[in-house]
Every structure is written in structure tokens, then in C-alpha cells.
Amino acid sequence: MIRNWRWPIVAGLLVAALAYVVTLRRAPTMLMAAAERRLEKLGGVNRFAHAPLATAASRAVVRPSPDLAYSSCVFDASKAPVLVDVAPVPARYWSLSVFGANTDVAFVRNNVEAGNAPIRVALVMPGQAVPAGYTGVLVPGGHGVALIRILIDDRARFALVDQARRVSTCGVAAAG
């Protein structure tokens, strides 16, 4: 009787192993690829897209906070480093986060940690040089999303904050 169950048990274990690999190994990469495609429609690749303040209908990737202004850059560092320069803004809190292709956080810094000075990072792959004046951030896979978040505690000041955040840049390093 037990012999009749041997192959179904083996098949069940194989299906479980495959489900594990797909769910825990591939799902983050697939979810980030979908997020990159959606965000790319807002601003392209290797440049910041500055979203308006969130409303109840805002859903580019996840439910955004109505207290934060978001700027996102889908980046591709596969051919050359991508330089991200974040200018300080007149807000109590702002930050830069860099997410790799597998959803892992590769870098985070906020205005307090930066001393309210500009944040300058070079998103690189192994073997790529980090330009002088930049902090190197190794991004496995070479692509992902850089995200600026700015606390908007007074909506009347949003125009001033919006103008200041548009100084920030995200782009491929010039060859040289």
C-alpha cells in the first residue's frame, strides 16, 4: 500500500520545491520589474519623474502617503554608472532610497544624516568606477529604482518644495 503513495509524495515535494523557488526567489524580481515598468511610464529611464501630491486615486505602484511628495528614477547602470544628485529641499524631512532589481534596499540617507547637504551617489555594477565626489552604491543586476521622499507638512508650501526638488538629477555618467 505504501508503494502506491511513493510517487505522488515525490511529485508533491517537487511541486513544493518549485513553488518555493518561484515565490521566494523570483517573486521579488518579478514584482520590481512590474514596478519599474509602471514608473518608467511616468518619466523614462535614468531621469527623475516628480509626482504630484497623492490623492485617493493615486496608485502608481502602492498606496502613497498623502503627506509625502515622491520623485522616482528608474535606473539602468548596465552600461555606465548612473549619477544621482539630490538637492536639499525646504522641508523638515527628505530622503533618498535606492532599491535594487530584487527589491532589496541598496542605499538610504535622509536630510539629517546628510547634514542637510546634497546627496551624491553613483549607482554602479561590479567593475565600474565611482566618479570623484560620489558615494558608490553597488547595485546587483544594474537596475532598480531611486526614490526621493519629502515630508509635506504644510500643503501651502508645496510649490516651493516642488520647485526645489526638480533640481535633483538622475542620469548616466558622461564617458571620459
Side-chain angles (χ1 to χ4, degrees):
M1 182 78 163
I2 194 110
R3 287 183 157 205
N4 295 339
W5 288 99
R6 183 178 301 158
W7 293 115
I9 290 172
V10 169
L13 289 173
L14 287 174
V15 168
L18 179 63
Y20 167 82
V21 168
V22 169
T23 303
L24 296 180
R25 301 286 183 160
R26 296 287 303 145
T29 304
M30 293 183 320
L31 290 170
M32 186 56 124
E36 286 177 30
R37 284 190 301 274
R38 291 179 87 177
L39 290 171
E40 188 177 332
K41 290 178 184 175
L42 300 175
V45 176
N46 295 333
R47 54 185 282 200
F48 273 115
H50 305 285
L53 286 177
T55 67
S58 301
R59 301 282 187 276
V61 176
V62 294
R63 176 184 277 179
S65 169
D67 297 331
L68 296 175
Y70 298 92
S71 296
S72 60
C73 172
V74 175
F75 64 86
D76 179 0
S78 62
K79 293 182 177 59
V82 174
L83 306 181
V84 178
D85 288 278
V86 179
V89 296
R92 282 190 320 158
Y93 175 86
W94 52 270
S95 68
L96 169 67
S97 302
V98 177
F99 301 91
N102 62 354
T103 71
D104 284 354
V105 177
F107 179 87
V108 176
R109 185 156 303 145
N110 65 40
N111 59 312
V112 175
E113 296 164 332
N116 226 31
I119 299 173
R120 303 180 81 206
V121 298
L123 309 176
V124 298
M125 292 184 59
Q128 291 177 336
V130 176
Y134 286 85
T135 300
V137 176
L138 184 62
V139 184
H143 62 92
V145 176
L147 183 66
I148 298 172
R149 290 178 259 218
I150 305 166
L151 177 65
I152 306 297
D153 53 0
D154 180 359
R155 286 184 171 252
R157 298 190 62 227
F158 176 68
L160 180 65
V161 170
D162 186 45
Q163 181 180 12
R165 73 176 170 157
R166 291 176 185 274
V167 174
S168 297
T169 60
C170 176
V172 176

